[in-house]
Amino acid sequence: CEIPLDYKKLTEKPFAIFGRTGMGKSILCKIVCNSILSKDVSSVFIFDMHSEYGTFSKTDNTPGLNFFFPEKVEMFTLDPGNREAKPFIIDSKNIRPEDIIIAFQDLSPPMIDALYIINRGRKNDLISEIKNATIEKYPNAHPSALQALQRRIMRLNRFGFVMEGNDTFNQMITLIKNGKSIVLDFGKYGRDAMAYLFLANIIARRLYNEYSENDYPHLVLFLEEAHKFLAPGIASYTIFDRLARETRKFNLILALIDQRPSRIDEEVGSQLANRLILSMKEPSDVESALAGVPDKTLWKDIVVSIPARTLLLLGDAIRVPTVVDIMDYNNMRTRLNKFNIKDIDEIAKQSGKIFG
Ligand SMILES: Nc1ncnc2c1ncn2[C@@H]1O[C@H](COP(=O)(O)OP(=O)(O)O)[C@@H](O)[C@H]1O
Ligand SMILES: [Mg+2]
């Protein structure tokens, strides 16, 4: 296998990929996804901010999940300019206060109060209700907080993927139900951090609700910039907090990807079943990446001294903690082919047994 992990075990509980920028997290994530798909242990869900995971990466032209597994992967896009993928649209009536709190990250407590006051009294979708709110209609909201909220909410106008009376989430969920993996391409919204925070929160909440009520196929949800959802003080507004702490058998599994693990709520970090750690220098990040790990001091020295594209593996998906070189992604094609050839050999042997 590409990375010596028990992928079945890995995908049973929340896990994380940590490492400084440029050390190879995104490529490692691609290798992990390809391995999960080639071993058929789960499907995956990717928020593809920089159009890297589809057929070919826009940033370095390396092949993505849809290149290797076209029959297992469905592509959606927020960008009408991308004709290769299905359009992803959400109905404005599915927006909740938490989505707005996460998207802006820094709403003041009176603004958050105003948001919930409007949400309780509203008859229309939340966004239009905020835009049309007056202090006469919502006397309990702080007047200047209400105005500030109205000014801020205008920034959501640029999200062309929010529409009234149109929603393609159900189309996506039907594909997931049928075992498909999803790559959600952000296209022209790729540099818009607010679009990512907003949308990831909405989708994760709706996935969580679906998975709580149904027995859907196993799915790993990869979350880049995890600390923006899981920082203390903000984590309580997201479903990611609950997903990261999920210990009962649940088919929706969270995989965190982050360059600043020290900003992730400690409670969440210490419960990860597996960690894939790339080079980090900042002592607080190293400390947090290893939260809850026995013999921490031993591993700290390793994390600060390993070069790029080298990985420390810790957790129950590996027999003993191990440091490995990450394969060159350019060889992914040959590796996957080899895997497939071996697979075919296995099948041939079995058929030999059956047919004598
Ligand atoms: N395993 C790998 N094989 C080939 N190239 C790699 C590998 N890991 C990293 N790289 C190169 O390094 C660059 C940065 O890696 P990336 O995964 O984007 O880092 P990060 O996500 O941690 O910022 C990539 O664009 C790629 O060119
Ligand atoms: Mg990256």
Side-chain angles (χ1 to χ4, degrees):
C1 53
E2 303 74 38
I3 293 182
L5 276 172
D6 178 339
Y7 280 94
K8 177 121 185 47
K9 269 234 163 91
L10 178 73
T11 52
E12 275 166 7
K13 291 181 205 146
F15 65 95
I17 295 175
F18 292 134
R20 273 184 299 148
T21 303
M23 292 298 111
K25 289 185 301 300
S26 298
I27 298 275
L28 174 61
C29 180
K30 250 171 151 173
I31 295 174
V32 168
C33 286
N34 285 326
S35 304
I36 289 173
L37 293 182
S38 81
K39 289 167 186 14
D40 266 325
V41 289
S42 181
S43 353
V44 300
F45 190 114
I46 305 278
F47 297 109
D48 190 8
M49 274 191 286
H50 308 299
S51 308
E52 294 171 306
Y53 291 86
T55 310
F56 287 101
S57 166
K58 276 241 170 70
T59 57
D60 58 14
N61 212 34
T62 52
L65 308 188
N66 194 59
F67 176 86
F68 293 119
F69 305 98
E71 71 295 346
K72 292 183 184 178
V73 178
E74 291 287 341
M75 295 194 291
F76 281 83
T77 184
L78 301 180
D79 190 340
N82 176 354
R83 309 212 176 268
E84 206 192 353
K86 299 179 168 64
F88 186 75
I89 296 158
I90 54 160
D91 190 335
S92 47
K93 76 171 193 295
N94 292 315
I95 296 167
R96 305 251 182 285
E98 299 78 31
D99 306 325
I100 295 170
I101 295 168
I102 295 289
F104 288 111
Q105 298 267 303
D106 62 349
L107 295 186
S108 66
M111 282 161 82
I112 292 176
D113 284 344
L115 193 52
Y116 280 103
I117 290 168
I118 294 170
N119 189 51
R120 275 194 299 274
R122 74 190 167 98
K123 293 196 180 59
N124 299 308
D125 73 87
L126 181 58
I127 306 281
S128 347
E129 192 75 23
I130 294 169
K131 286 179 184 166
N132 299 319
T134 57
I135 205 67
E136 288 74 36
K137 195 168 173 198
Y138 295 104
N140 293 334
H142 192 285
S144 61
L146 178 60
Q147 277 176 9
L149 187 62
Q150 287 178 317
R151 274 196 305 273
R152 297 288 291 276
I153 214 77
M154 294 303 173
R155 293 170 66 187
L156 301 183
N157 289 351
R158 66 174 183 265
F159 293 169
F161 51 85
V162 177
M163 288 183 190
E164 226 170 284
N166 197 348
D167 199 295
T168 55
F169 180 79
N170 286 340
Q171 199 184 329
M172 187 186 262
I173 252 308
T174 304
L175 291 164
I176 291 173
K177 214 188 308 187
N178 290 321
K180 297 287 187 187
S181 291
I182 306 288
V183 172
L184 175 57
D185 165 56
F186 274 59
K188 64 176 180 182
Y189 299 100
R191 284 163 175 273
D192 190 337
M194 194 184 284
Y196 169 59
L197 294 168
F198 181 72
L199 208 70
N201 205 53
I202 295 175
I203 290 177
R205 180 181 63 247
R206 294 175 75 180
L207 281 176
Y208 186 89
N209 293 342
E210 290 283 342
Y211 270 80
S212 302
E213 289 162 16
N214 302 285
D215 191 21
Y216 285 160
H218 200 284
L219 180 70
V220 181
L221 179 61
F222 285 86
L223 189 66
E224 292 229 22
E225 304 278 349
H227 72 268
K228 295 207 165 134
F229 302 90
L230 292 165
I234 222 149
S236 62
Y237 293 110
T238 74
I239 205 69
F240 293 112
D241 185 49
R242 208 179 309 169
L243 268 179
R245 295 161 193 256
E246 197 65 71
T247 47
R248 71 191 156 121
K249 189 183 173 329
F250 195 58
N251 275 353
L252 182 59
I253 298 295
L254 187 60
L256 311 178
I257 304 173
D258 212 294
Q259 66 276 24
R260 295 307 310 272
S262 62
R263 296 193 184 160
I264 293 176
D265 190 303
E266 228 180 88
E267 282 268 327
V268 170
S270 59
Q271 286 181 37
L272 295 162
N274 284 282
R275 292 149 216 260
L276 288 67
I277 306 179
L278 295 152
S279 166
M280 276 184 293
K281 298 287 184 199
E282 179 63 37
S284 61
D285 287 325
V286 180
E287 184 78 30
S288 299
L290 294 166
V293 171
D295 305 324
K296 229 188 210 176
T297 39
L298 177 65
W299 306 120
K300 269 189 207 168
D301 294 338
I302 292 175
V303 174
V304 296
S305 55
I306 49 176
R309 293 165 60 170
T310 310
L311 181 63
L312 168 62
L313 296 168
L314 296 164
D316 68 1
I318 183 134
R319 231 170 299 139
V320 288
T322 308
V323 177
V324 293
D325 286 328
I326 299 174
M327 62 172 281
D328 189 330
Y329 191 74
N330 297 314
N331 298 332
M332 190 85 236
R333 197 186 307 213
T334 5
R335 290 291 178 100
L336 286 173
N337 283 343
K338 257 190 221 145
F339 179 82
N340 290 340
I341 289 163
K342 201 176 99 228
D343 241 23
I344 292 161
D345 276 344
E346 275 304 313
I347 295 163
K349 264 189 236 151
Q350 305 237 345
S351 69
K353 262 188 255 160
I354 296 166
F355 299 110

